[in-house]
Amino acid sequence: MTICMTLAFATAAMAQFTMEDSVTWGNITPAQVETLQAMANRGHTTAQYYVGRCYANGYGLPKDKYKAIEYYGKAAEKDQTEALYYLGFSYYYGLGVSKNIEKADELFEKAIKWLNEEIDTNSYAPYYLALCYSYGFGVLPDHEKSMSLFEKAAEMGNSQALVHMATDYLQGTWLSPDPKKAVELYQKAADMGNPMAQLGLGYCYLDGDGVAVDKKKAYQLFQMAADQGVPAAQKALKQ
């Protein structure tokens, strides 16, 4: 199950965020990765999950989908919630393992069980449940329920849920396109310090989506995200 690891070894600027945020945004530091690897090697299940995420995305470690599966598997054996989700995701898409929808659904169902138990105590629980309902992972797709769960996660302080909703409004993935609403949600998350929101909002200003074009503002936002170590923001500054 989830152990919300707030980082004793985080930088002061990132102290309000969790390791879950860091492995999502890509701004994990070498020192943090070293600590996680040591914890994972001692059998800490949540650390094993985080190391798997690092390998899967190439954040702080060389990108290696097979290593990601190895670490997800270790944590999933002990029912670590997010490891079950990402191992299911890997089987669903055939990432580092042979594609196996039946196995994926089995893992998603286990993850959903624990996520429902954690839904009122961990802001990432409704967020991951929302993803399951968005994409039909272990459940029938239900975009209305998904949006309700994203909103619950956001109310609990999960800025990543705001980013996901903003992106949906911008792209019209599950919702009717509404660039102005997207900007509003990106701004809320950016004000919370979410670098992915700063990046998304920067692109809105750069492209004039939901707001007047303002390249100076765009690059200020890209810089804010880059200062938090997000690779995509550092790349955006070079464009």
Side-chain angles (χ1 to χ4, degrees), residues 5 10 37 53 63-64 150 174-175 177 191 196 210 220 227:
M5 292 171 59
Q37 285 183 301
R53 286 286 299 277
K63 192 169 186 176
D64 188 330
F150 279 132
W174 310 121
L175 303 163
D191 289 344
M196 300 308 290
Q220 287 174 342
D227 287 345

Side-chain angles (χ1 to χ4, degrees), residues 138-196:
V139 291
L140 292 174
D142 185 334
H143 302 309
E144 185 175 338
K145 186 171 182 64
S146 172
M147 186 55 60
S148 175
L149 286 162
F150 279 132
E151 289 172 352
K152 179 179 177 65
E155 287 168 3
M156 292 172 70
N158 188 309
S159 61
Q160 196 62 22
L162 288 167
V163 172
H164 196 98
M165 287 191 291
T167 303
D168 273 358
Y169 274 115
L170 190 64
Q171 299 176 349
T173 310
W174 310 121
L175 303 163
S176 298
D178 188 340
K180 288 185 178 180
K181 182 68 174 177
V183 168
E184 176 189 332
L185 294 172
Y186 276 140
Q187 186 66 65
K188 282 184 180 179
D191 289 344
M192 294 167 71
N194 186 309
M196 300 308 290

Side-chain angles (χ1 to χ4, degrees), residues 187-210:
Q187 186 66 65
K188 282 184 180 179
D191 289 344
M192 294 167 71
N194 186 309
M196 300 308 290
Q198 293 162 354
L199 178 66
L201 187 59
Y203 276 114
C204 287
Y205 276 104
L206 186 66
D207 300 329
D209 288 327

Side-chain angles (χ1 to χ4, degrees), residues 206-221:
L206 186 66
D207 300 329
D209 288 327
V211 69
V213 171
D214 187 334
K215 292 185 178 180
K216 182 178 179 180
K217 180 70 172 177
Y219 281 92
Q220 287 174 342
L221 287 158

